Amino acid sequence: MSSSPSSAHWPSLVGSIWLQTINGPNADFPVYSSQLKEIKGISQVRLNFLASASDVGKVFGWFAGVAALHLPLWAVALTGAAFGLVGYGVQFLFLDSPRLAYWHLFLLTSLAGNGICWINTVCYLLCINNFPSDSRVAVSLATSYLGLSAKFYTTVFETLPRAARARHSTTKVYLLLNAVVPMAVTLVAAPSLRLVEMVKQERNKKRSQAPFLGMFAITLATGACAIIGSVGAKSIGLSTREHMVSFFVLLALPLLIPVVLRVRKSMAKIRETKWENRVHDHDSDGPETTVAVSVVEIEVVEDKREEEEEQRQEAEQQQSSSSSSQEEVGGLRLLRKLDFWLYFFSYMFSGTLGLVFLNNLGQIAESRGLADASTLVSLSSSFGFFGRLLPAFLDYYTAKSGYSLSRTGSMAALMAPMSGAFFLLLHPNHMSLYASTAVVGTCTGAITSVAASATNELFGTKNFGVNHNVVVANIPLGSLCFGYLAAYLYQRGARGGSRCMGAACYRDTFILWGATCALGTALCAALYARSRGSAGRRLPR
């Protein structure tokens, strides 16, 4: 007999959260990119291509979807972790060797990037299948922790003893962490990576709200802790070690949710057993027994009526949603749709552009005279976390009021401040750099979180897997194009040298990026105008 969904499916969400937290090892690339350029003696252009290698590996992410149809989910996750172990582990072992050529680095980084897709696939499937009534909220909650990956790795790096860090360069230490940490966490989370077969769905919303509210509270506390550590824990009297301990404790705290649910379930069984024993003890008293049995029967009938009513309302909601949704689009028909190209390029000119900016943070910080890029990277990671979490809050509370927000409208609203942040970067002071990084990190995280639901909203669910993989092909394409543009302008500013110092190094790049993001905002606004008839509608109550 299957386990009750009230407690058995929550460990899978906790496992997904832990996997997402470590599933962005490429996010710490800006921290060691400048040192890597010196170690291997490569140009800025080649360094930017290397930063895009992880995105190139995601082109073959559909292999993970095929594997998930035939393998247990824990095996799929371990396969992705193994790709990262090989990709970054070989770089760690042979980084100082001249035999490790540039094309070796590119292929190994692409392999590790493909492994990210395998772990992401597991997390999506767990959230969608184990939380059928709250899949959008569960997916947004889990994927929000992906925004903390850079912060997680920089915190682990700072946790290591100085003697251990002194034995290797910063680049090699980060490569070792990128290789080992995902495999270790995946092994720990593997027992929870399973689909729960439920005898009957948990339909009582009042009972399901409490765990989600608890998870939201833990998530908000984790994000606040990450931002405090990024901006400066010492300024409020919190030592670095105290911040690290609190951050790791908060990451482990979601495990309390399934534990509390299991305890509540055990207590309910104990109370039920005591009640049955009390009724049995009074079995000889006819009238009292009749009253007790009648009360139990009335409660059972009321529970059945509530369940039948909720099933009827859910069926009406699904019928209404399916009747008013967009037509199913797939195959070559997708490429002939104007909406597809508006969506493709608006995503490329916003979310992908933001990822390129974050990949270049190391060089941007160096050109602005910042000695350590890890603070800037941690800041972008922390605000990216809140950006990814924002859709979860909106989905949770708008669903309670009976409305479904338009995903294309949400994306257009997020692109406008992102465009302004690129133009703000033209000011040479450090405050504008930190503020712009926070805005770009937040908007990029939110856009990438919303994108999956936007694909479903525009083109239907039947061919979602293929359609979304076609859409996200803009990431490696945009990463290569915008990354090359930034590297070319940087190299021109260096005037033959390997480094460019000053605000002028990225001035033309920021102007072009800001104008491109403004164009993306216009394209997405046009897409929203075309598709608003099927989005933002009121759900049946």
Side-chain angles (χ1 to χ4, degrees):
M1 184 175 178
S2 301
S3 301
S4 171
S6 61
S7 60
H9 62 174
W10 280 92
S12 66
L13 181 59
V14 176
S16 298
I17 285 174
W18 289 351
L19 289 181
Q20 289 292 293
T21 304
I22 52 86
N23 199 33
N26 57 321
D28 59 27
F29 181 79
V31 179
Y32 63 86
S33 59
S34 297
Q35 189 179 74
L36 178 64
K37 183 171 70 171
E38 294 180 359
I39 293 175
K40 302 307 293 183
I42 56 181
S43 66
Q44 182 65 29
V45 174
R46 302 186 84 186
L47 182 68
N48 273 75
F49 282 137
L50 191 59
S52 305
S54 179
D55 296 327
V56 172
K58 296 174 184 177
V59 173
F60 302 98
W62 58 272
F63 278 112
V66 176
L69 297 175
H70 305 284
L71 296 175
L73 292 184
W74 61 264
V76 177
L78 285 175
T79 302
F83 286 167
L85 181 64
V86 174
Y88 288 115
V90 173
Q91 293 184 57
F92 165 77
L93 293 174
F94 302 101
L95 184 65
D96 298 325
S97 173
R99 294 182 179 180
L100 188 68
Y102 174 80
W103 67 272
H104 292 143
L105 293 175
F106 190 92
L107 291 179
L108 289 170
T109 304
S110 298
L111 178 64
N114 183 256
I116 293 175
C117 297
W118 290 67
I119 296 179
N120 277 338
T121 299
V122 172
C123 295
Y124 283 132
L125 290 175
L126 287 172
C127 293
I128 291 173
N129 290 284
N130 287 349
F131 295 85
S133 300
D134 302 288
S135 59
R136 291 174 68 172
V137 178
V139 169
S140 297
L141 260 175
T143 55
S144 66
Y145 279 81
L146 183 62
L148 285 180
S149 285
K151 174 63 180 176
F152 178 83
Y153 283 101
T154 55
T155 303
V156 173
F157 176 84
E158 295 171 358
T159 306
L160 298 175
R162 291 186 178 181
R165 284 183 282 173
R167 295 180 58 185
H168 301 287
S169 64
T170 300
T171 301
K172 294 196 69 173
V173 174
Y174 272 105
L175 289 174
L176 180 62
L177 292 176
N178 293 349
V180 174
V181 170
M183 177 58 73
V185 174
T186 304
L187 288 172
V188 172
S192 68
L193 307 181
R194 61 188 182 90
L195 299 178
V196 179
E197 295 182 1
M198 306 175 190
V199 175
K200 63 177 182 178
Q201 297 290 341
E202 178 65 56
R203 300 184 185 276
N204 193 332
K205 291 296 181 182
K206 293 182 179 180
R207 291 181 63 188
S208 64
Q209 281 181 5
F212 274 115
L213 291 176
M215 191 66 76
F216 277 133
I218 294 172
T219 304
L220 285 174
T222 306
C225 179
I227 289 181
I228 290 173
S230 302
V231 175
K234 294 181 180 179
S235 61
I236 61 171
L238 187 67
S239 68
T240 303
R241 184 169 296 277
E242 289 173 342
H243 167 256
M244 293 175 185
V245 172
S246 60
F247 182 63
F248 290 134
V249 168
L250 286 169
L251 287 175
L253 210 55
L255 193 60
L256 285 179
I257 300 295
V259 171
V260 170
L261 290 174
R262 181 58 63 91
V263 171
R264 286 178 56 186
K265 180 182 176 183
S266 300
M267 295 298 294
K269 286 185 176 181
I270 293 174
R271 287 195 297 269
E272 182 181 351
T273 302
K274 288 182 177 180
W275 174 256
E276 290 177 353
N277 291 337
R278 182 184 301 177
V279 173
H280 183 269
D281 291 340
H282 293 83
D283 189 42
S284 57
D285 301 330
E288 294 183 5
T289 305
T290 303
V291 171
V293 172
S294 299
V295 171
V296 174
E297 288 179 348
I298 290 173
E299 291 179 350
V300 171
V301 170
E302 289 180 350
D303 290 342
K304 287 184 177 180
R305 286 179 179 175
E306 290 180 0
E307 183 176 344
E308 290 174 356
E309 178 66 18
E310 289 168 359
Q311 290 178 358
R312 184 184 62 79
Q313 291 180 358
E314 184 173 338
E316 291 177 356
Q317 177 175 334
Q318 292 176 351
Q319 182 178 0
S320 175
S321 299
S322 61
S323 62
S324 60
S325 62
Q326 289 277 340
E327 67 170 315
E328 297 288 345
V329 180
L332 294 178
R333 288 184 58 209
L334 183 71
L335 303 180
R336 294 196 293 264
K337 287 282 186 178
L338 176 60
D339 286 357
F340 167 77
W341 293 110
L342 288 174
Y343 180 38
F344 185 90
F345 285 109
S346 62
Y347 191 166
M348 179 187 291
F349 295 163
S350 57
T352 299
L353 188 59
L355 294 176
V356 175
F357 168 77
L358 299 179
N359 285 338
N360 281 269
L361 268 182
Q363 303 302 310
I364 293 172
E366 183 184 62
S367 67
R368 293 291 186 99
L370 294 179
D372 187 9
S374 61
T375 300
L376 205 59
V377 173
S378 296
L379 183 69
S380 67
S381 177
S382 302
F383 277 91
F385 166 77
F386 276 107
R388 290 175 179 271
L389 184 62
L390 182 61
F393 280 112
L394 294 177
D395 286 336
Y396 185 77
Y397 287 104
T398 56
K400 290 174 63 177
S401 61
Y403 285 93
S404 173
L405 287 178
S406 166
R407 292 318 209 182
T408 53
S410 301
M411 289 177 67
L414 290 165
M415 293 178 191
M418 188 174 173
S419 176
F422 284 125
F423 289 115
L424 181 61
L425 285 166
L426 296 175
H427 292 277
N429 58 67
H430 289 346
M431 184 58 65
S432 65
L433 176 60
Y434 284 111
S436 297
T437 300
V439 172
V440 174
T442 301
C443 294
T444 300
I447 290 172
T448 53
S449 179
V450 165
S453 299
T455 304
N456 181 37
E457 179 182 288
L458 290 169
F459 310 117
T461 59
K462 183 178 180 181
N463 303 289
F464 170 79
V466 175
N467 291 346
H468 196 60
N469 277 318
V470 174
V471 170
V472 298
N474 79 85
I475 296 179
L477 178 62
S479 184
L480 290 172
C481 294
F482 296 128
Y484 175 78
L485 173 66
Y488 172 77
L489 294 176
Y490 176 94
Q491 203 69 43
R492 189 178 66 177
R495 297 179 181 178
S498 60
R499 291 185 179 182
C500 178
M501 302 300 295
C505 297
Y506 281 93
R507 183 183 59 225
D508 294 340
T509 299
F510 293 148
I511 293 174
L512 290 173
W513 284 358
T516 301
C517 192
L519 176 60
T521 306
L523 292 177
C524 199
L527 176 62
Y528 168 65
R530 288 174 53 86
S531 61
R532 60 184 176 183
S534 62
R537 59 184 180 274
R538 185 173 179 85
L539 297 175
R541 296 300 296 268

